[in-house]
């Protein structure tokens, strides 16, 4: 029997207040695509960071091909043949593809034509198409991911770790990725594929290791021998979960509460991000917007909330044209907004919880220019208990909250003014199972109370369960409208990829 | 020749060109150093202070050793030493770069005045002699100006070419630029961010020191308090004007040098124009360039290094 390519044994990694890995084990055979499965917060990324030299584990051993390793930096790990493609790409946008690929192991004196040629050759060997002289800022997310993979291959990495690689890909690009991974393992390399999406794992991987609560609950399960339901059960624990929130579809739809007509938005680079999008949201429905990240969703919701200017078109709330209204006027008119960027756009991390809670509401809590601090605290305390935000004291810094609690606070703040329209962008992204369920329940409640809900999500399965109608965005345009009751994932996937 | 009250003589034109080249050399040395530091992502607003230290130490070194070359190197060393304060504070300890840089200017000016006090009315001279390039210096006009300039002018030009080559054609330069654009990317690719940044700051300081030494060992020929009169700040502006590229910074140095020379040399031409207004010109040009950059940045990335002014700490959750 051959030596395993990777062997992680009893890995512990603690952070202040959190145990991310509690004695996790992982063994990867050379020449295989190995899935690292688990819910958000199960410790997948931390474990892989221990392998890739980002973190030094507190306890436990890391072995590569039978030899014990101790990496003090990612560069160390890379030199030993472990490359990792993080969810946030580590690329220099102003550099060309070739410059990014060779960075860190470039020849002493660089001849551009020469590195362009060698990078193109490398790409060709693995069945990529790469344009080595193009600057990275011009590339799509999928293309950038390929540059990241090329970086690892340039160093001849024997072990490649991909952290949720398909999150930024269209279904077509994901298939291409699968082909490249096959080619790599065909040469005897190993790939570690971090995911929480079972369908991808069954499509791309040979074996899977499942993590839960920082520990390994199943190691090196052969994908061929196990069905998805069993894997799902391993991921979430005893009872099989389903994302099915009792989302009884509301047949009673009301009037149009939000009308978006022919809206176009230019992004900060001067490119058209949203291109003539029109739709209506009615009272008592959830309109889901599906699509791969970066296809104009962020600019669209920002334009509805008044954070971006519409180049063309109009936005109307309850029949009133608000195209040039300020964000505050829109809020007063009944528009609640949960932005994609919770910390930064939605909430101010360095301010206390109470100040964040009253941020939209303080005009009602003042006498002249003086803020009535008691009223503000009272309001915050109410909000916190009504939306079940777990906090120490409302005077604590917001940054002390976990992801799920942050989102509850944000959603609570937006909902407590009883809006007629809720625009929620990626409201469940990055939350744990309980957090996801709580947020979904709140949105469904809103719908049942007759609020119009616009929900942007990258998670198609979530939209299929929650939304009354689904609209797909691709390259800034509406690429299709679907009824989740009858539409198939394949149809919607094709629209996401821009295939008409 | 007289045109409407403006007198143009050969001597005044040549004088203007020679003065332009001197100012250009002074500005280019300092701006090139600042370019290197900023391309690595470190803003150093201490150029004025490092230049003053270089001016003082360069003069003292030159007088003490009797060799302007040794004085020049001493000036560079003084600038580098002062810059290492910024390197430690702003890079190793992660202090605010603006605050640390401003402190460096104040420190450098004060220290130079204090240490150089006894040399203020010193009349000993150890100066660079202009170099006549054989053959070329006999060409009328051009020969008298460009081909018989200070040796330091040629040194500055050579350093410009060297900087361009290192930045754009070597792995060290690629790493340095990566550090300035995205420190975490460079770190994960195996480039030591702190080491590269500190080295760049120290090299930048040495070049500001060279610039100051050129001032006392060549242009002025003496040391006195406040001799740098804000030239360090013009050098900082010049880096922006030249869009952080050694070549363009060089062209900008010629332009800015020309405006500084005009300020001094308008009188011989019989032109009455306030030199104070003229001395604002480099800054006005720089603001103009900033406007152009921000306008252009709508369609493509700005030439400003993306990591400029941002301290880097490896993420530990």
């Amino acid at each position: 029997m051959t030596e395993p390519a990777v062997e992680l044994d009893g890995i512990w990694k603690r952070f202040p207040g959190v145990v991310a890995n509690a004695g996790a084990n992982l063994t990867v055979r050379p020449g295989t695509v190995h899935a690292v499965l688990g819910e958000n917060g199960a410790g997948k990324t931390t474990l892989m960071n221990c392998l890739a030299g980002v973190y030094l584990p507190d306890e436990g051993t890391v072995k590569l091909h039978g030899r014990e390793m101790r990496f003090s930096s990612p560069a160390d790990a890379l030199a030993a043949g472990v490359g990792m493609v993080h969810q946030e790409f580590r690329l220099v946008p102003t550099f060309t593809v070739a410059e990014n690929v060779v960075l860190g192991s470039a020849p002493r004196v660089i001849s551009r034509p020469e590195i362009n040629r060698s990078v193109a050759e490398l790409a060709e060997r693995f069945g990529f198409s790469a344009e080595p002289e193009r600057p990275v800022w011009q590339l799509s997310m999928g293309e950038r991911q390929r540059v990241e993979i090329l970086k690892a291959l340039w160093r001849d990495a024997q072990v490649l770790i991909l952290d949720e690689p398909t999150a930024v890909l269209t279904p077509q690009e994901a298939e291409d990725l699968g082909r490249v991974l096959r080619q790599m393992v065909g040469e005897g390399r190993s790939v570690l594929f971090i995911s929480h999406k079972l369908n991808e794992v069954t499509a791309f991987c040979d074996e899977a290791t499942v993590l839960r609560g920082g520990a390994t609950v199943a190691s090196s399960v052969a994908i061929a021998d196990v069905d998805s339901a069993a894997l799902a059960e391993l991921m979430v624990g005893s009872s099989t979960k389903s994302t099915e929130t009792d989302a009884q579809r509301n047949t009673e739809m009301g009037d149009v509460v939000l009308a978006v007509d022919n809206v176009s938005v230019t992004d900060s680079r001067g490119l058209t991000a949203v291109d003539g999008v029109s739709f209506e949201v009615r009272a008592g429905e959830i309109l889901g917007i599906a699509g791969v990240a970066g296809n104009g969703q962020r600019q669209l919701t920002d334009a509805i909330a008044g954070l971006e200017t519409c180049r063309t078109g109009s936005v109307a709330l309850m029949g009133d044209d608000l195209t040039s209204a300020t964000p505050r006027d829109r809020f007063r008119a009944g528009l609640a907004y949960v932005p994609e960027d919770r910390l930064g756009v939605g909430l101010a991390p360095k301010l206390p919880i109470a100040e964040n809670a009253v941020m939209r509401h303080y005009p009602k809590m003042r006498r002249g220019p003086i803020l009535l601090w008691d009223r503000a605290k009272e309001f915050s305390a109410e909000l916190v208990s009504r939306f079940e935000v777990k906090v120490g004291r409302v005077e604590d810094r917001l940054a002390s909250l976990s992801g799920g609690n942050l989102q509850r606070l944000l959603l609570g703040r937006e909902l407590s003014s009883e809006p007629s329209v809720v625009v929620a962008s990626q409201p469940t992204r990055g939350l744990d199972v309980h957090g996801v369920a709580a947020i979904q329940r709140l949105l469904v409640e809103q719908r049942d109370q007759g609020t119009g809900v616009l929900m942007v999500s990258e998670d198609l399965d979530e939209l299929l369960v929650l939304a009354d109608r689904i609209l797909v965005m691709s390259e800034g345009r509406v690429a299709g409208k679907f009824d989740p009751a009858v539409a198939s994932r394949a149809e919607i996937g094709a629209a996401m990829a821009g295939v008409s | 020749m007289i045109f409407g009250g403006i007198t143009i003589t050969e001597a005044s034109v040549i004088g203007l060109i020679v003065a332009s080249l001197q100012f250009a050399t002074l500005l280019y040395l300092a701006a090139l150093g600042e370019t290197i530091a900023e391309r690595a992502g470190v803003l150093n607003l201490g150029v004025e202070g490092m230049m003053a230290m270089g001016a003082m130490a360069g003069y003292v070194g030159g007088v003490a050793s009797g060799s302007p070359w040794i004085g020049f190197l001493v000036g560079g060393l003084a600038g580098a030493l002062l810059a290492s304060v910024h390197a430690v504070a702003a890079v190793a300890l992660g202090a605010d770069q603006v605050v640390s840089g401003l402190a460096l200017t104040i420190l450098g000016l004060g220290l130079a005045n204090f240490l150089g006090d006894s040399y203020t009315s010193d009349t000993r001279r150890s100066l660079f002699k202009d170099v006549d390039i054989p053959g070329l210096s006999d060409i009328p006009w051009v020969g008298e100006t460009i081909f018989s300039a200070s040796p330091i002018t040629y040194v500055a030009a050579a350093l410009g070419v060297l900087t361009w080559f290192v930045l754009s054609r070597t792995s060290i330069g690629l790493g340095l630029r990566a550090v300035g654009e995205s420190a975490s990317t460079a770190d994960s690719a195996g480039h030591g961010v702190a080491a590269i940044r500190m080295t760049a700051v120290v090299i930048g300081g040495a070049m500001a020191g060279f610039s100051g030494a050129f001032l006392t060992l060549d242009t002025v020929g003496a040391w006195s308090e406040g001799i740098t009169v804000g030239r360090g700040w013009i050098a900082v502006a010049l880096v922006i004007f030249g869009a952080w590229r050694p070549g363009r910074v060089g062209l900008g140095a010629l332009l800015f040098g020309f405006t500084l020379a005009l300020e001094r040399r308008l009188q011989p031409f019989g032109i009455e124009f306030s030199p104070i207004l003229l001395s604002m010109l480099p800054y006005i040009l720089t603001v103009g360039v900033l406007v152009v950059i921000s306008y252009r940045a709508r369609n493509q990335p700005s030439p400003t290094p993306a990591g400029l002014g941002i301290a880097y700490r490896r993420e530990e959750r």
Side-chain angles (χ1 to χ4, degrees):
Chain A
M1 205 183 144
T2 51
E3 203 79 65
V6 176
E7 213 176 345
L8 301 178
D9 189 25
I11 302 288
W12 282 81
K13 183 70 188 169
R14 301 175 190 88
F15 298 106
V18 193
V19 178
N21 287 140
N25 303 317
L26 176 79
T27 307
V28 180
R29 288 189 295 123
T32 58
V33 181
H34 193 105
V36 182
L37 261 174
E39 287 279 310
N40 283 310
K44 308 182 292 281
T45 301
T46 307
L47 185 64
M48 290 302 102
N49 276 333
C50 287
L51 174 58
V54 177
Y55 300 140
L56 202 60
D58 299 335
E59 283 170 48
T61 55
V62 175
K63 281 187 193 167
L64 285 184
H65 305 285
R67 280 185 47 211
E68 190 167 338
M69 305 303 249
R70 216 178 141 74
F71 302 132
S72 57
S73 72
D76 258 15
L78 201 50
V82 181
M84 179 159 176
V85 179
H86 296 268
Q87 276 182 287
E88 270 129 41
F89 297 148
R90 309 237 158 121
L91 297 172
V92 180
T94 50
F95 281 14
T96 65
V97 169
E99 283 177 321
N100 267 292
V101 169
V102 304
L103 179 67
S105 60
R108 204 169 287 256
V109 173
I110 296 170
S111 140
R112 278 166 201 247
E114 205 170 289
I115 59 169
N116 286 344
R117 207 179 47 240
S118 12
V119 168
E121 275 167 15
L122 180 72
E124 216 168 289
R125 212 179 104 205
F126 288 92
F128 289 108
S129 58
E131 297 164 87
E133 16 357 74
R134 265 182 88 188
V136 160
W137 62 268
Q138 292 179 347
L139 304 182
S140 74
M141 294 314 265
E143 290 168 321
R144 287 179 202 207
Q145 184 179 64
R146 272 174 250 160
V147 179
E148 282 277 21
I149 295 173
L150 278 175
K151 266 169 75 172
L153 291 172
W154 175 262
R155 315 287 191 96
D156 199 25
Q158 293 301 311
V159 176
L160 180 71
I161 307 166
L162 300 168
D163 193 354
E164 310 242 347
T166 56
V168 296
L169 302 183
T170 62
Q172 180 56 44
E173 283 176 321
E175 258 173 53
D176 290 347
L177 174 67
R179 236 187 29 243
V180 171
L181 298 186
R182 279 288 135 219
Q183 169 93 24
M184 288 179 63
V185 297
E187 292 187 353
R189 297 168 207 267
S190 317
V191 175
L192 280 146
F193 191 100
I194 307 182
S195 181
H196 60 244
K197 294 184 185 155
L198 289 167
N199 53 347
E200 284 174 13
V201 168
T202 46
F204 295 146
C205 304
D206 305 308
E207 293 183 339
T209 291
V210 184
L211 295 183
R212 189 168 73 229
T216 305
V217 291
S219 50
S220 304
V221 182
I223 297 289
D225 303 345
V226 70
D227 65 356
S228 317
L231 282 177
E233 198 173 313
L234 284 167
M235 270 166 66
V236 294
S238 52
S239 64
T240 23
K241 70 129 201 191
S242 90
T243 18
E244 208 78 37
T245 329
D246 40 2
Q248 192 85 56
R249 298 215 190 280
N250 200 337
T251 44
E252 285 284 308
M253 272 193 221
D255 299 332
V256 172
V257 285
L258 173 69
V260 170
D261 184 31
N262 190 31
V263 163
S264 299
V265 179
T266 308
D267 73 7
S268 50
R269 291 183 300 169
L271 306 174
T272 298
V274 179
D275 191 2
V277 168
S278 304
F279 59 83
E280 289 174 342
V281 180
R282 292 177 174 274
E285 76 160 339
I286 294 180
L287 174 63
I289 294 194
V292 178
N295 275 286
Q297 299 97 320
R298 174 195 283 261
Q299 287 82 1
L300 175 68
T301 52
D302 276 356
I304 294 171
L307 304 180
E308 285 268 11
T309 318
C310 298
R311 198 182 63 215
T312 67
S314 65
V315 175
L317 206 67
M318 320 286 286
D320 296 327
D321 184 12
L322 289 178
T323 313
S324 49
T326 62
R328 176 181 283 193
D329 287 341
R330 293 177 202 224
F331 178 71
R332 285 199 186 129
L335 176 77
Y337 184 40
V338 178
E340 180 178 327
D341 191 4
R342 280 162 224 163
L343 285 176
V345 180
L347 299 162
K350 287 188 178 173
L351 293 183
I353 293 162
E355 290 186 21
N356 273 288
V358 302
M359 214 167 261
R360 288 278 215 180
H361 308 282
Y362 66 87
K364 283 177 258 158
M365 299 167 197
R366 61 185 184 186
R367 185 174 295 130
I370 313 282
L371 181 67
L372 300 174
W373 198 228
D374 287 345
R375 288 259 295 277
K377 276 190 197 162
E378 204 178 299
F379 175 88
S380 315
E382 259 175 47
L383 190 139
V384 159
S385 77
R386 189 175 142 207
F387 290 93
E388 294 165 12
V389 188
K390 285 192 202 100
V391 297
R393 301 173 323 139
V394 292
E395 290 90 350
D396 289 348
R397 267 166 50 133
L398 181 92
S400 63
L401 297 184
S402 72
N405 281 313
L406 283 175
Q407 190 67 323
R408 270 185 241 221
L409 181 76
L410 176 56
L411 197 59
R413 182 185 81 197
E414 296 296 314
L415 296 182
S416 58
S417 60
E418 278 158 26
S420 42
V421 174
V422 177
V423 176
S425 195
Q426 316 285 4
T428 60
R429 182 159 76 182
L431 305 186
D432 61 17
V433 200
H434 299 293
V436 170
I439 298 300
Q440 290 180 342
R441 201 165 51 241
L442 282 169
L443 290 172
V444 169
E445 259 171 42
Q446 284 295 313
R447 177 195 64 190
D448 293 345
Q449 287 165 20
T451 311
V453 179
L454 179 68
M455 179 175 183
V456 178
S457 179
E458 277 159 38
D459 186 346
L460 185 54
D461 296 313
E462 172 179 67
L463 291 179
L464 284 170
V465 172
L466 294 180
D468 300 289
R469 289 186 295 141
I470 292 179
L471 196 139
V472 174
M473 272 185 88
S474 170
E475 290 176 358
R477 295 196 194 88
V478 175
K481 296 183 176 182
F482 300 92
D483 179 351
V486 295
S488 73
R489 295 188 91 256
E491 280 178 276
I492 300 178
M496 282 165 69
V499 181
S500 46
Chain B
M1 282 187 284
I2 299 175
F3 302 102
I6 301 172
T7 320
I8 297 180
T9 64
E10 193 179 324
S12 61
V13 171
I14 287 181
L16 181 65
I17 297 174
V18 168
S20 300
L21 272 180
Q22 281 186 338
F23 280 122
T25 304
L26 175 77
L27 294 176
Y28 194 41
L29 282 170
L32 203 54
E34 182 68 6
T35 301
I36 294 170
E38 293 195 13
R39 285 302 285 269
V42 186
L43 180 68
N44 188 353
L45 295 180
V47 179
E48 179 80 3
M50 299 186 297
M51 207 188 252
M53 279 299 284
M56 184 279 296
Y59 181 75
V60 173
V63 166
S65 68
S67 156
W69 287 104
I70 290 179
F72 187 70
L73 293 177
V74 171
L77 187 67
L81 276 176
L82 191 60
S84 61
V85 174
H86 188 60
V88 171
V91 181
L93 303 176
D96 187 294
Q97 294 180 6
V98 171
V99 175
S100 167
L102 288 175
L104 208 63
T105 285
I106 297 165
L107 176 68
L109 288 171
L111 210 56
N113 293 342
F114 174 71
L115 295 174
D117 193 38
S118 56
Y119 290 85
T120 303
S121 45
D122 197 288
T123 51
R124 284 175 288 167
R125 296 280 185 272
S126 171
L127 302 182
F128 284 110
K129 288 190 186 63
D130 290 353
V131 180
D132 292 338
I133 296 196
L136 297 174
S137 59
D138 298 331
I139 305 168
W141 296 82
V142 181
E144 285 171 80
T145 53
I146 298 172
F147 294 116
S148 62
S150 162
I152 302 305
T153 301
Y154 306 127
V155 169
L159 284 174
V161 173
L162 182 68
T163 304
W164 166 81
F165 180 80
V166 172
L167 282 181
S168 61
R169 292 286 182 272
T170 67
S171 59
I172 296 172
L174 189 68
L176 183 141
R177 286 186 289 128
V179 164
E181 291 288 340
S182 168
S184 60
T185 302
D187 188 19
S188 63
H191 286 289
V193 175
I196 288 180
R197 285 190 163 177
M198 289 172 79
T199 309
V201 169
V202 170
I203 290 174
M207 289 172 80
F210 287 152
S211 165
F214 171 75
L215 190 65
T216 46
L217 293 171
D218 192 303
T219 315
V220 178
W223 155 255
S224 66
E225 207 176 302
I227 197 168
T228 50
V229 290
R231 305 290 189 235
W233 294 108
I234 297 184
V236 173
L238 178 55
V239 176
I240 302 167
F241 183 85
W244 292 267
R245 291 170 181 218
R248 287 196 209 173
V249 170
L251 293 178
L254 290 172
L255 179 64
F256 284 18
F258 179 68
T259 68
L260 289 179
L262 267 187
E263 188 187 323
R264 293 282 180 78
R265 302 210 166 236
L266 271 184
Q267 228 108 44
F269 290 94
I271 300 170
E272 290 299 321
F273 189 80
S274 164
I276 297 173
L277 286 180
L278 207 55
S279 68
M280 289 164 52
L281 202 56
Y283 297 104
I284 294 171
L285 288 172
T286 303
V287 170
V289 165
L290 276 176
V291 171
V292 172
I293 286 174
S294 67
Y295 181 76
R296 216 183 48 163
R298 288 168 163 276
N299 301 312
Q300 53 180 296
S302 138
T304 317
L308 183 61
I310 302 166
Y312 176 69
R313 214 166 263 149
R314 193 179 279 176
E315 68 176 298
E316 254 307 329
R317 198 169 58 122

